[in-house]
Amino acid sequence: MILSQLGTAGSSRLALREQFCSTASGNACKSRPAARRVTVASQRYGDYHVNAVAAEATVLPFTKDAEHLEQWSKSSWRKRKAHQQPEYPEQEQLAGAIAEINRMPPLVFAGECRTLQARLAKCAAGESFMLTGGDCAESFSQFSADRIRDAFRVMLQMSVVMMFGGGVPVVKVGRMAGQFAKPRSSGVETIDGVSLPSYRGDIINGPEFTEQARIPDPSRLVKAYNQSAATLNLLRGFSTGGYAGLGRVTQWNLDFMDNSDEGKAYLDVAQRVKEAIQFMTASGLAANHPIMTETEFFVSHECLLMDYEEALTRQDSTTGLWYDCSGHFLWCGERTRQLDAAHVEFMRGIGNPIGVKVSDKMDPNDLVTMIHAFNPENTPGRLAVIVRMGEEKLRAKLPALVSAVERAGQTVTWICDPMHGNTESCGTYKTRRYENIRAEVEAFFDVHEELGTVPGGIHLEMTGDNVTECIGGGASIDETDLSSRYHTHCDPRLNAEQALEMSFYVASRLRKLCQSGVCKVPEA
């Protein structure tokens, strides 16, 4: 059953679930054996056909003639309600900007997306771990090579800590090169009795609280594309040009962290890694081996601004599938995941690995329905479920969600977003407390440990800058420090020291999982 056959927004939740879960033979959703840690080329679990990753073989999320694509096109979302979209006053300018982006080259390539899908399949099986990090929202005014480098460098540090301490490969995915648009809980912002349209990210309007700045401007779409292209160019250079080589592991520390506890702990790990590299080189591993000189790095953002995403959706000549070439990994947000609306309609047909944000409001049966909509062929690595609830709600709600997915035999990569459920106000500032963020990560690992399922990754809003936006942690930032270096245009981010501190905790939990047999340490 395909999405375009669903009713309007008024359709009942039960009707949506029944239509999505119907199979070609007319069977409704039913319990199926769990499909975890599959390593053979293919196995059948109930009515699902699991395409597992065998070695590095290319596995498609679905084929171009898949049943659920019969009435799908990259523009079929236009027949549905599109939430969180700006209202452009100049439609001709919008059409011109979209036409210009349509003529531009893709930002990423289908083959790269398929590689990431294979990596995320390993995350779902406990054979790798996904680290996603970057700005809440990228900005035009703060764009610089140094900021990109510093964010990239912190993610390299975090991945080394997790790999060395946790014993599993880390898949590095930046919230970069496209994370511009932001959903808003209200379309209007009011300050001192003055109400203006909300700031929706630099790709749409400006953060300045003026009437002119808040008007959606189509030229920003082209500017965001150009900045994304420049960011990707630099990231590719860092990833393959020697900067990210393990031989430089002791040189990645940021200057302002040299005297911090986390910086010193990292240098200790880095020195041990360097010694291990010296041993491997002495044992015959070539110094110019790709593992010593390069790293994989992918980019991601929320699939929110539909005109932009459609303009960058291109057909892959080798498979016939359509890929959204604005980023490798895209996710559907909590505010836009309605089954009968535009974002789900668009994302169900693109070939990228995708994610969906889930809060405590999600019903377990609805989650099973949504997973089937996004991943009808149950392909490992195709879909990540990104949970964002806060520690207490996660402990109460996540077990039922995971259990429902397990009973349905569905394969997903479970990701923890410990940021969005922990935002609070402190005077005139939005902030997050490191201790609450850490508590949600701890709860995420605890739940999966109790259920015997796989925690597949972590999703952080963070920066390589020495900011004071989140309270606590080893950085000892308190409420009085917020005004010191509060630079975010949107939500508060972990600074480099806090992010690195988190990586040490995650490494300790990964090591525990490997010792228990849930995660799989790669064989020598």
Side-chain angles (χ1 to χ4, degrees), residues 66-84:
E67 181 183 357
H68 79 284
L69 297 179
E70 287 180 0
Q71 297 185 36
W72 182 90
S73 72
K74 70 172 186 174
S75 60
S76 58
W77 65 269
R78 295 183 179 276
K79 301 174 184 177
R80 307 195 175 278
K81 171 69 174 177
H83 299 276
Q84 296 286 333

Side-chain angles (χ1 to χ4, degrees), residues 251-468:
Q251 302 174 43
W252 291 338
N253 223 13
L254 296 162
D255 294 339
F256 67 84
M257 290 178 59
D258 284 345
N259 296 318
S260 70
D261 289 342
E262 282 66 36
K264 292 175 182 177
Y266 170 75
L267 287 176
D268 178 63
V269 170
Q271 185 58 41
R272 293 162 66 189
V273 171
K274 187 174 183 179
E275 292 168 358
I277 291 172
Q278 291 171 342
F279 170 77
M280 289 189 295
T281 303
S283 300
L285 181 67
N288 61 352
H289 191 282
I291 198 173
M292 304 293 289
T293 60
E294 302 177 3
T295 192
E296 287 184 337
F297 195 86
F298 305 93
V299 297
S300 67
H301 62 267
E302 180 175 358
C303 179
L304 185 62
L305 193 53
M306 297 304 298
D307 288 311
Y308 181 81
E309 302 299 344
E310 180 187 337
L312 283 166
T313 300
R314 313 291 168 82
Q315 189 170 28
D316 175 35
S317 60
T318 63
T319 65
L321 296 183
W322 291 83
Y323 285 81
D324 185 344
C325 297
S326 66
H328 299 112
F329 178 88
L330 307 170
W331 69 85
C332 189
E334 169 77 6
R335 296 184 179 95
T336 56
R337 57 173 174 76
Q338 298 86 353
L339 281 172
D340 54 358
H343 291 79
V344 172
E345 168 63 16
F346 174 76
M347 294 182 70
R348 73 183 183 89
I350 59 175
N352 308 58
I354 59 176
V356 58
K357 290 282 188 86
V358 169
S359 74
D360 60 291
K361 301 180 182 68
M362 175 61 82
D363 175 81
N365 292 324
D366 289 346
L367 178 58
V368 170
T369 305
M370 180 165 291
I371 291 170
H372 183 72
F374 281 132
N375 190 18
E377 298 192 19
N378 203 29
T379 305
R382 158 67 173 173
L383 181 65
V385 176
I386 309 167
V387 292
R388 39 154 292 182
M389 301 182 185
E391 183 257 343
E392 291 185 3
K393 291 179 179 177
L394 186 143
R395 290 188 183 277
K397 300 291 186 178
L398 183 58
L401 296 175
V402 175
S403 297
V405 172
E406 288 288 298
R407 286 193 301 271
Q410 295 171 317
T411 301
V412 302
T413 305
W414 292 100
I415 308 292
C416 176
D417 169 3
M419 309 300 292
H420 287 89
N422 291 299
T423 306
E424 59 184 76
S425 296
C426 184
T428 59
Y429 295 99
K430 286 197 296 185
T431 191
R432 292 158 172 158
R433 298 182 185 274
Y434 177 86
E435 287 70 22
N436 293 340
I437 296 169
R438 153 79 185 263
E440 183 165 353
V441 176
E442 182 177 5
F444 177 74
F445 277 97
D446 286 349
V447 168
H448 282 288
E449 183 177 334
E450 291 165 4
L451 295 175
T453 50
V454 177
I458 188 170
H459 186 121
L460 301 173
E461 291 186 343
M462 49 170 277
T463 176
D465 296 341
N466 187 21
V467 299
T468 55

Side-chain angles (χ1 to χ4, degrees), residues 429 467-469 475-486:
Y429 295 99
V467 299
T468 55
E469 297 169 2
S476 300
I477 297 171
D478 61 26
E479 289 84 349
T480 62
D481 296 316
L482 291 176
S483 61
S484 175
R485 295 182 299 281
Y486 195 96

